[in-house]
Amino acid sequence: MTDVMINKITENSDRVFFPFLGDGGIKIERTAFTIPGLNVDIYWYGLLIGIGVILAMIYAYRKFESFGIDSDRATDVIIGGVIGAVLGARIYFVIFRWSNYVSDGKILWKEIINYRDGGLAIFGGVIGGFLVGGLICKWRKLKVAPLFDIAAMGFLIGQTLGRWGNFFNQEAYGSLTKLPWGMTSSKIMNELAGLYPNTPTTELIAHPTFLYESLWCIIGFIGLHFYMKHRKFDGEIFLLYIGWYGLGRAYIEGLRTDSLYIGSTSVRVSQLLAALCVIASISLIIYKRLQLKKAGGYQFFYETELSKEQIAESKEKYSQSSKTKLSISQVIDSAFENQTDLDDEDNEDDEDEFYDNADDSDEDDDDEEDDDE
């Protein structure tokens, strides 16, 4: 970067620049919009995560029946899983940044529950979401493995969009780079200057690691979507997701400058966990396939009587609900029709009374005329 470029970046703190691609910069704001009347700011980070959850649910509901999952029961799992993911993401972050939430020996509970200032870790979200979702699966008598397959695809959708929230917050970027797509901003330069004090200001350009992870997740989603019909057993998509995401995260985490560490060590907790995910994924897939080879085949959950019974029961409930709604509608329509008939009868009676009164009036007039004569 030139000195002129550095001055431009410093003067435009609301812009993110890609110096090797041009000097225009992209104007960004943390706030997407403000709710009128309430003056509550909606941040891009939360908005994008919300959109990701909605898209993931749409995708999931289109896949449930083909995996043998009763969508009615699965709704409970989704609600619980989302709550578990949010709580897990926060708890994970707080645990590994505990020193930020303790002051003079006192725990800063208000800061811990303050989500709006950031502090969510995706690995905690994955752990919390699948843990709570799995428990609800047991409660609702759903097969865990096929539901986790669909949930894994939903996580990839959410992660693809959610990482762009980091872009709007100008966070989760990587170490120094000279690659053409390197990014920087006034905020990023100030933070990098503290991490690399001996580096010239002209070289304070970072890896856009949020972009790397977003692209990695969308590639994984596309690949697993097309492989889905060729899966060998329930739970394979989930294991492939864990392995795929772990492989990419293990590398990307090594580039980041804001990693969570295990205690005072130099071990990045997310990088270690990502590597373990890859090992566990490969090991379990190999083990399961060897088992299937010995067994000579596999029965998917959607082929079982339990799955068919659950789906049939759900459809029957829906059918009865529709009939009930129809009956209520018919009662309401009938009531309106009866009221209309009563109104018509009242109108007819009023008309008859009107004409009768008119006839009586005419007769009285005739009598008066006769008397005059």
Side-chain angles (χ1 to χ4, degrees):
M1 292 188 294
T2 63
D3 290 337
V4 174
M5 185 67 178
I6 293 173
N7 290 333
K8 187 173 184 178
I9 293 172
T10 304
E11 293 170 359
N12 295 274
S13 59
D14 60 344
R15 290 180 178 270
V16 172
F17 293 82
F18 295 85
F20 301 120
L21 300 178
D23 60 357
I26 301 173
K27 185 175 181 178
I28 61 172
E29 294 183 6
R30 186 184 181 191
T31 303
F33 60 90
T34 301
I35 299 177
L38 299 177
N39 291 325
V40 176
D41 292 334
I42 302 299
Y43 298 137
W44 278 109
Y45 191 91
L47 179 62
L48 290 172
I49 290 178
I51 294 173
V53 170
I54 293 172
L55 292 178
M57 290 176 64
I58 293 172
Y59 181 86
Y61 277 97
R62 293 175 64 90
K63 292 293 181 182
F64 278 144
E65 188 166 347
S66 63
F67 275 70
I69 300 295
D70 168 21
S71 59
D72 184 43
R73 296 168 188 257
T75 300
D76 295 334
V77 180
I78 290 174
I79 294 172
V82 170
I83 295 173
V86 174
L87 292 176
R90 184 58 174 174
I91 292 171
Y92 184 100
F93 182 87
V94 170
I95 288 174
F96 292 104
R97 286 282 175 86
W98 184 246
S99 60
N100 293 353
Y101 302 98
V102 178
S103 178
D104 297 326
K106 296 181 179 180
I107 300 176
L108 306 176
W109 292 107
K110 186 177 180 180
E111 297 299 322
I112 289 176
I113 63 176
N114 185 13
Y115 280 80
R116 290 180 63 79
D117 284 340
L120 301 177
I122 184 60
F123 259 124
V126 172
I127 294 170
F130 282 110
L131 178 62
V132 175
L135 292 174
I136 297 178
C137 276
K138 293 295 185 182
W139 169 55
R140 295 292 279 148
K141 298 180 181 180
L142 280 172
K143 186 74 177 292
V144 173
L147 189 58
F148 274 22
D149 282 339
I150 299 174
M153 301 298 289
F155 266 93
L156 285 171
I157 294 172
Q159 289 169 264
T160 297
L161 286 176
R163 277 303 172 196
W164 283 91
N166 298 134
F167 174 68
F168 286 98
N169 286 349
Q170 298 184 48
E171 62 187 11
Y173 52 83
S175 55
L176 299 175
T177 183
K178 293 183 180 180
L179 292 172
W181 48 81
M183 64 181 286
T184 192
S185 68
S186 178
K187 177 178 181 290
I188 293 173
M189 283 200 307
N190 289 334
E191 292 177 358
L192 289 177
L195 295 171
Y196 305 97
N198 298 323
T199 302
T201 307
T202 55
E203 297 179 11
L204 296 178
I205 302 172
H207 282 283
T209 48
F210 80 91
L211 177 61
Y212 298 167
E213 191 165 328
S214 180
L215 292 174
W216 186 257
C217 287
I218 192 62
I219 291 171
F221 172 80
I222 294 171
L224 291 179
H225 173 78
F226 286 107
Y227 176 75
M228 196 174 285
K229 294 181 179 179
H230 308 286
R231 66 189 189 281
K232 300 298 185 291
F233 56 90
D234 288 324
E236 186 179 23
I237 299 298
F238 168 70
L239 292 176
L240 288 171
Y241 158 71
I242 292 297
W244 176 261
Y245 179 68
L247 181 63
R249 183 61 184 269
Y251 172 73
I252 295 170
E253 188 67 24
L255 298 175
R256 288 178 58 168
T257 59
D258 61 345
S259 298
L260 301 174
Y261 291 89
I262 299 178
S264 58
T265 70
S266 60
V267 179
R268 301 170 190 255
V269 60
S270 293
Q271 192 172 37
L272 175 62
L273 189 56
L276 292 175
C277 284
V278 175
I279 296 171
S281 172
I282 295 174
S283 300
L284 289 172
I285 289 174
I286 292 175
Y287 171 74
K288 189 65 178 179
R289 289 203 174 195
L290 288 175
Q291 273 192 328
L292 295 179
K293 190 174 182 181
K294 290 180 181 179
Y298 179 81
Q299 184 182 38
F300 287 97
F301 181 62
Y302 70 82
E303 298 173 325
T304 65
E305 290 301 318
L306 176 60
S307 169
K308 295 174 183 177
E309 288 174 4
Q310 289 180 345
I311 293 176
E313 180 183 349
S314 178
K315 289 183 176 180
E316 179 63 24
K317 286 182 179 179
Y318 178 79
S319 177
Q320 291 177 355
S321 175
S322 297
K323 289 179 180 178
T324 301
K325 290 179 181 178
L326 183 60
S327 298
I328 293 174
S329 176
Q330 289 174 339
V331 169
I332 294 173
D333 290 342
S334 177
F336 275 116
E337 289 176 1
N338 291 337
Q339 183 62 44
T340 302
D341 292 340
L342 289 174
D343 290 342
D344 290 342
E345 291 177 1
D346 291 340
N347 290 336
E348 290 176 359
D349 291 340
D350 291 342
E351 289 178 1
D352 292 340
E353 184 177 351
F354 172 79
Y355 287 120
D356 289 341
N357 291 335
D359 292 340
D360 292 341
S361 175
D362 290 342
E363 290 177 0
D364 291 340
D365 291 341
D366 291 340
D367 292 338
E368 291 178 0
E369 291 176 359
D370 290 341
D371 292 340
D372 291 341
E373 289 177 357

